[in-house]
Structure formats: structure tokens, C-alpha cells
């Protein structure tokens, strides 16, 4: 019961002056109870910490062997003068040439194996965010009017949508497709293809212009779209439109939610590792296109990708579920447990990511307090379970009351691009990760200006950082996304150079109005 109470937050809402009824003319208030993210940094599973350290020590043999060899070599030659060292090397080489050659042979072989087996670096050259025409803009009130004119919603449903919109953090300059604006039923395959073509080709045209890459030079194409998946596929539409080469490796990901963009990047990374010296283009039909290429032209280098999937759990699998209602209207059913389930996935993901990105001092403090809590916490539970008066209750109480050290992720990253799902989610993430308003500025401004653009939101956020010229050489960018399944994915980039304000960017015409102060 106490755990359930910790996941609830209350808010007093001023509902204005009552217009009718026994309380007419009186000021009325209501209490709103909401579920919030669990305090996932206070309940960490050691399994995910171990997984993070497993990633970290993949090349531990090199990290452990090289210092030992250096230490032995230093101890051997440290007592010799320069003349004695050269004389010894010459005599050994003259009388034991086979040993010297064998030594150099082993050294060359070891270095060759190391450099051939280590993963190749992957770079992000540039990306493009599609900006729709102004005639597709719609305010929140206009959207409610459009929904009312469709005749598909009763007043209770419209009132619910209105409350959600006004508390969502979305502004009055977001966009909707023509199919939603039309009075008649335009939700057809033809309209869906037209919308996908407008978004994908608009973003890709800009991308190819920026990078000066020919479509025929692209060797890998990955497209992700959660709901609209026609036949032929969206990737086939792109290949047909740009007349790409016949041996291109193309993939189409569907139904994977708002975190699909990072999943598509992970697939493209694997394809580039297996097919070096080629170009990969990843397209998210939620209005973003981006691409990797060689070091000299790249903006960012890919550092880490960490993926977490909770689909084995039934609650997680069904928390966002597409199905028809009683009247056979297709839609998405969102569980009331979504925030809690999302928090558990986030906890697992950032716990795995921590050992890869946090400074050693933060890792040491975090891991030490975590192990201390597990050891003494378990002992205290045993004492409570036995009901005996033995032991040291003061020591056990002190151990149980101490909370795990919360790592400071601001020491690991200079910039944060968190999926702009809603204002509530951003509020809870900011509170749990102890981020500043500046850290979540890009996410909040993207939500206000463009709304929840699904898997592409993290790219509109990076575009905001570039338009504000915030990204400098060596800066690390953390992109965090989550979506149905339930999945939570992280990608870490490192800036190769200072990024100047781009000539084309979806924020340029409104940059002077942001950051927006609510």
C-alpha cells in the first residue's frame, strides 16, 4: 500500500466559478490524482549494473595486460643508463636474432588482431527534420473544433481531449495532416502514401542537398514507421522515387513505437560494421532523416547504443495496444500503468548505460553504496523476519535508511535529448535525474513547437541545440527514447567539431521566440 501511495501525486485545480446548480456563483476546486514515474534511481537491479559493466570490460584484457607489460619493461630498463641500454640491445640482437624477430612478430600479430577485431567507428554526418507548410498548422482549439465536426466523438470525449491538450505542453503552432482536417473520410491508403511521401521525400531532399551524397551511393536504407505499413513498403517507395541501386540493403521496421528511431540506428550500425566503406541512411517517417559517413565530414561520432525491451512482461506488452473499440473504431489503448511501466524500463536502461558513460568517481560511489545497501539491507530483512532481539539493530537501521547514491548524469553529458512525450513525463524525468531547466530545454521547446512527433522528436531536439549553436567540439549528447512494447533506448553521440547554425533548420523562423517561458 505504501509503494502504491508513493507513485501517486496530487494537484489542486481551480475550476472557476460555478455557472449553475446549488453552488452557482461560487469558486470551485477539484483535486486531481495522478500516477507518476517511480523513483527508479532509488531501487536499482544489480542485473542491469552487471550488464553495463559487461559492455565495459569487453576489451578488459588489453586494459589489464598493457599496464603490466609497461611496468615490467620499466623495471627492467629503469636501472640502466642510455649507453648500457643500447649496448645490451645490440648484444642481444647480435647473439639472439631469432628471439628478437620472434618478439617483433608476436607484437605485430597482436596489434593486427586487435585493430582488425575492434569495432569500426560510426559517424553521423548530418540529419534533416521535415518542416510542414504553414497551411497545416492548427491550434488546440481548432483541433477540438475539427474533432467535433467529424461527429465521431461525444461531448464527454471532446472535453477529455481538451483537458489533455491544454495540460500537455503542446503549443498552438503544431501540425496535422490533411486527412484529419477533411470533413469526409480521407484515412485511406492513398492519403497515407501521400503523407508519407511528403514527409520522407521532403526530409531526404534536404539531406542529400546538405551532404552532397547521391542516392545511388547509399548502400544501406532503414525506414521505421510505427502504424502505417503499406505494401510495397515505405523503403520500397524511397528506392523507387530516388532510383537507388539494385543491391541496396533495405529494411522496414513497423509497430515499434516512439523508440524505433534508435532501434533503426542500431540496425544501421550493425550493417555498416558488416559492410564497411558504405553509406547508410535511416529514415523515420515521423519526420526525420539522418545519415552516417566518413570522419572528415562528420558532425558526430557514435559512442554507445543501449536497448532495453520489457516485452516479456504481459503488463508492459499491453500497456500501449492497438485495437478496435465496441464500435469497431481503430485506436490505441493506453494503460493507466503506463507511467509506472515506463519508469521501470527507464531504470533498467540508464542503469545499464551508467558504467559506460559515468566518470569513474561517480561509478565508484554508486556501486559502493549499491552493494552496501544490498548486503546490509538483506541482513536487516533477516533480522526482522526472525523476530529475535539479537544482532545490532542500530547498525541495521542505519544501513536500511541509507539510500543508493544517485549518479550525476550531468557529469557524463553536456546535452540531453529526451523523447518529448508529454509535459508530465518530462517533469518526472527532470525530477528523477535531477536535471536543470537548461538540460531539458530542447525537449520542452520541441514539445511546445512541434508536439509529440514520436520517434523523430529526439532529432528536432538536436536541431534546436544546433540552431542555438550550443554544441561544441567534444560535447556528448544523450538521446533517450521510449515506446510501446515496452522499450527504452539510449544513444550517445560525441561532437567532432563545433556545430555552427545550419542554413536549413526547422527552428530558424521561430528561434527568437524560444526558449518559451510558460
Amino acid at each position: 500500500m505504501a509503494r502504491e501511495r508513493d507513485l501517486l501525486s496530487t494537484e489542486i485545480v481551480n475550476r472557476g466559478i460555478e455557472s449553475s446548480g446549488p453552488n452557482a456563483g461560487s469558486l470551485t476546486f477539484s483535486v486531481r490524482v495522478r500516477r507518476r514515474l517511480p523513483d527508479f534511481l532509488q531501487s536499482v537491479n544489480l542485473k542491469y549494473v552487471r550488464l553495463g559493466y559487461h559492455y565495459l570490460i569487453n576489451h578488459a584484457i588489453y586494459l589489464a595486460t598493457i599496464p603490466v607489460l609497461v611496468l615490467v619493461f620499466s623495471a627492467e630498463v629503469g636501472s640502466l643508463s642510455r649507453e648500457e641500454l643500447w649496448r645490451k640491445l645490440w648484444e642481444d640482437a647480435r647473439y639472439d636474432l631469432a628471439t628478437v624477430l620472434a618478439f617483433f612478430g608476436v607484437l605485430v600479430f597482436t596489434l593486427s588482431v586487435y585493430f582488425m577485431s575492434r569495432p569500426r567507428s560510426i559517424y553521423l554526418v548530418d540529419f534533416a527534420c521535415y518542416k510542414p507548410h504553414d497551411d497545416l498548422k492548427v491550434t488546440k482549439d481548432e483541433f477540438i473544433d475539427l474533432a467535433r465536426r467529424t461527429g465521431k466523438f461525444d461531448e464527454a470525449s471532446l472535453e477529455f481531449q481538451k483537458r489533455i491538450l491544454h495540460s500537455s505542453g503542446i503549443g498552438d503552432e503544431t501540425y496535422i495532416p490533411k486527412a484529419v482536417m477533411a470533413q469526409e473520410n480521407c484515412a485511406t491508403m492513398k492519403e497515407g502514401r501521400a503523407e508519407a511521401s511528403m514527409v520522407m521525400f521532403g526530409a531526404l531532399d534536404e539531406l542529400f542537398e546538405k551532404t552532397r551524397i547521391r542516392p545511388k551511393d547509399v548502400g544501406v536504407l532503414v525506414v521505421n514507421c510505427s502504424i502505417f505499413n503499406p505494401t510495397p513498403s515505405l523503403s520500397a517507395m524511397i528506392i523507387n522515387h530516388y532510383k537507388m541501386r539494385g543491391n541496396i540493403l533495405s529494411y522496414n521496421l513497423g509497430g515499434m513505437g516512439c523508440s524505433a528511431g534508435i532501434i533503426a540506428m542500431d540496425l544501421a550500425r550493425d550493417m555498416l560494421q558488416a559492410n564497411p566503406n558504405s553509406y547508410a541512411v535511416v529514415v523515420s517517417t515521423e519526420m526525420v532523416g539522418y545519415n552516417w559517413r566518413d570522419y572528415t565530414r562528420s558532425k558526430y561520432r557514435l559512442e554507445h547504443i543501449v536497448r532495453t525491451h520489457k516485452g516479456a512482461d504481459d503488463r508492459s506488452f499491453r500497456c500501449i495496444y492497438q485495437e478496435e473499440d465496441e464500435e469497431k473504431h481503430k485506436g490505441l489503448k493506453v494503460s493507466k500503468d503506463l507511467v509506472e511501466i515506463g519508469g521501470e524500463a527507464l531504470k533498467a536502461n540508464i542503469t545499464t548505460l551508467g558504467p559506460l558513460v559515468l566518470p569513474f568517481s561517480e561509478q565508484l560511489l554508486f556501486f559502493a553504496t549499491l552493494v552496501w545497501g544490498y548486503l546490509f539491507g538483506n541482513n536487516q530483512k533477516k533480522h526482522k523476519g526472525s523476530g529475535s532481539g539479537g544482532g545490532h539493530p542500530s547498525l541495521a537501521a542505519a544501513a536500511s535508511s541509507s539510500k543508493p547514491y544517485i549518479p550525476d548524469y550531468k557529469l557524463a553529458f553536456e546535452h540531453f535529448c529526451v523523447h518529448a512525450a508529454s509535459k508530465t513525463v518530462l517533469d518526472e524525468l527532470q525530477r528523477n535525474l535531477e536535471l536543470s531547466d537548461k538540460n531539458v530545454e530542447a525537449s520542452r521547446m520541441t514539445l511546445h513547437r512541434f508536439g509529440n512527433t514520436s520517434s523523430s522528436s529526439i532529432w528536432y531536439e538536436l536541431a534546436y541545440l544546433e540552431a542555438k549553436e550550443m554544441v561544441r567540439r567534444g560535447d556528448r549528447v544523450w538521446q533517450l527514447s521510449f515506446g510501446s512494447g515496452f522499450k527504452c533506448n539510449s544513444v550517445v553521440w560525441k561532437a567532432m567539431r563545433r556545430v555552427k547554425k545550419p542554413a536549413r533548420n526547422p527552428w530558424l523562423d521561430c528561434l527568437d521566440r524560444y526558449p518559451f517561458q510558460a
Side-chain angles (χ1 to χ4, degrees):
M1 186 67 180
R3 180 178 180 274
E4 181 71 17
R5 201 163 49 241
D6 291 339
L7 295 178
L8 300 178
S9 63
T10 58
E11 178 184 357
I12 299 177
V13 181
N14 185 348
R15 304 188 67 88
I17 298 176
E18 191 74 21
S19 60
S20 60
N23 297 323
S26 302
L27 193 63
T28 58
F29 298 87
S30 64
V31 178
R32 181 182 297 163
V33 180
R34 291 177 174 173
R35 299 185 70 85
R36 68 184 190 185
L37 287 175
D39 199 357
F40 46 83
L41 287 175
Q42 301 296 341
S43 56
V44 179
N45 194 324
L46 273 177
K47 174 177 69 175
Y48 300 109
V49 178
R50 287 197 299 267
L51 182 59
Y53 280 102
H54 170 72
Y55 291 155
L56 184 65
I57 63 175
N58 278 340
H59 299 290
I61 185 171
Y62 304 109
L63 299 176
T65 304
I66 292 176
V68 173
L69 293 176
V70 171
L71 184 63
V72 172
F73 179 77
S74 301
E76 179 69 22
V77 304
S79 59
L80 300 177
S81 65
R82 183 180 300 179
E83 293 76 13
E84 292 174 335
L85 178 60
W86 282 111
R87 185 168 61 252
K88 185 174 179 62
L89 289 174
W90 171 251
E91 291 176 354
D92 289 346
R94 185 173 58 182
Y95 294 110
D96 199 359
L97 184 61
T99 302
V100 174
L101 292 176
F103 171 78
F104 279 106
V106 171
L107 178 63
V108 171
F109 176 76
T110 303
L111 291 176
S112 301
V113 170
Y114 171 72
F115 285 108
M116 291 176 64
S117 61
R118 68 194 298 261
R120 297 177 177 86
S121 297
I122 305 297
Y123 299 97
L124 171 66
V125 177
D126 218 327
F127 63 97
C129 296
Y130 177 71
K131 185 174 181 292
H133 298 295
D134 287 346
D135 58 353
L136 297 179
K137 280 185 181 180
V138 64
T139 66
K140 295 187 284 289
D141 292 335
E142 288 172 346
F143 176 81
I144 295 299
D145 291 338
L146 290 171
R148 180 177 284 107
R149 287 201 292 268
T150 63
K152 296 179 180 180
F153 307 101
D154 56 25
E155 285 301 320
S157 178
L158 290 170
E159 183 62 29
F160 174 75
Q161 293 183 49
K162 187 176 181 179
R163 291 202 308 270
I164 293 295
L165 276 175
H166 283 281
S167 63
S168 64
I170 296 176
D172 284 328
E173 290 189 286
T174 56
Y175 307 87
I176 59 173
K178 290 182 177 179
V180 177
M181 292 183 171
Q183 296 295 315
E184 64 276 6
N185 180 24
C186 290
T188 62
M189 294 296 292
K190 180 180 179 181
E191 286 294 328
R193 286 192 176 95
E195 181 188 348
S197 299
M198 176 182 66
V199 174
M200 294 191 303
F201 302 157
L204 284 172
D205 287 345
E206 180 182 339
L207 182 67
F208 290 137
E209 180 183 342
K210 281 182 174 180
T211 59
R212 297 180 182 178
I213 294 175
R214 299 183 307 164
K216 285 186 177 294
D217 293 334
V218 176
V220 179
L221 173 65
V222 183
V223 181
N224 72 270
C225 182
S226 186
I227 295 178
F228 183 63
N229 293 284
T231 301
S233 66
L234 298 177
S235 59
M237 287 173 58
I238 294 175
I239 293 171
N240 175 261
H241 180 79
Y242 291 101
K243 309 305 178 188
M244 291 178 164
R245 64 196 199 193
N247 63 344
I248 189 172
L249 303 175
S250 65
Y251 302 88
N252 207 94
L253 307 180
M256 305 196 77
C258 299
S259 63
I262 294 180
I263 297 173
M265 279 194 293
D266 193 22
L267 175 58
R269 178 187 64 172
D270 292 342
M271 291 299 101
L272 287 175
Q273 295 287 356
N275 301 273
N277 302 318
S278 60
Y279 305 120
V281 171
V282 182
V283 179
S284 168
T285 54
E286 292 85 358
M287 305 179 191
V288 71
Y290 43 92
N291 146 290
W292 289 277
R293 205 185 161 191
D294 53 290
Y295 172 87
T296 56
R297 298 181 56 199
S298 300
K299 284 184 178 180
Y300 306 93
R301 183 177 68 221
L302 180 62
E303 296 287 301
H304 306 287
I305 292 182
V306 175
R307 293 169 54 182
T308 302
H309 204 308
K310 291 287 188 176
D313 175 63
D314 290 339
R315 288 174 66 243
S316 300
F317 175 72
R318 298 185 67 89
C319 69
I320 302 177
Y321 205 77
Q322 185 181 19
E323 62 181 2
E324 297 84 8
D325 60 12
E326 295 81 1
E327 299 179 4
K328 303 302 180 182
H329 292 147
K330 187 182 295 183
L332 287 174
K333 183 173 70 174
V334 180
S335 168
K336 294 180 179 179
D337 299 328
L338 174 62
V339 176
E340 179 185 355
I341 291 169
E344 293 298 322
L346 282 166
K347 177 182 70 176
N349 187 266
I350 67 173
T351 305
T352 305
L353 180 68
L356 301 176
V357 298
L358 288 170
F360 181 73
S361 58
E362 290 293 301
Q363 294 188 47
L364 185 63
L365 286 170
F366 172 69
F367 192 72
T369 55
L370 186 65
V371 172
W372 178 275
Y374 266 82
L375 292 177
F376 290 95
N378 290 337
N379 289 338
Q380 196 229 5
K381 288 179 182 178
K382 291 178 181 179
H383 284 300
K384 284 186 177 179
S386 63
S388 62
H392 301 278
S394 60
L395 178 62
S400 64
S401 63
S402 63
K403 296 181 178 180
Y405 175 73
I406 301 176
D408 187 357
Y409 281 85
K410 297 188 292 295
L411 296 176
F413 310 107
E414 284 73 35
H415 307 288
F416 297 79
C417 296
V418 180
H419 169 46
S422 70
K423 180 179 180 297
T424 301
V425 170
L426 293 177
D427 288 343
E428 290 298 319
L429 279 170
Q430 181 178 1
R431 182 183 65 84
N432 273 277
L433 294 177
E434 298 183 351
L435 303 178
S436 67
D437 291 340
K438 195 68 175 178
N439 294 144
V440 294
E441 178 182 314
S443 299
R444 292 192 187 278
M445 299 308 107
T446 297
L447 179 63
H448 183 269
R449 176 63 181 86
F450 295 100
N452 181 350
T453 59
S454 190
S455 59
S456 67
S457 66
I458 56 177
W459 295 103
Y460 283 85
E461 293 161 17
L462 186 55
Y464 177 86
L465 296 173
E466 290 192 354
K468 289 286 187 179
E469 297 188 275
M470 295 181 179
V471 182
R472 291 172 172 79
R473 178 183 174 89
D475 283 0
R476 294 153 298 178
V477 182
W478 180 20
Q479 291 181 313
L480 175 66
S481 66
F482 34 87
S484 60
F486 194 89
K487 301 176 290 294
C488 180
N489 302 314
S490 291
V491 61
V492 179
W493 301 98
K494 186 174 183 179
M496 306 303 298
R497 53 186 168 86
R498 183 175 180 269
V499 181
K500 298 180 179 179
K501 183 184 293 186
R504 298 185 64 176
N505 187 290
W507 292 93
L508 294 182
D509 65 339
C510 60
L511 195 61
D512 58 333
R513 303 201 304 269
Y514 290 92
F516 170 81
Q517 297 296 331

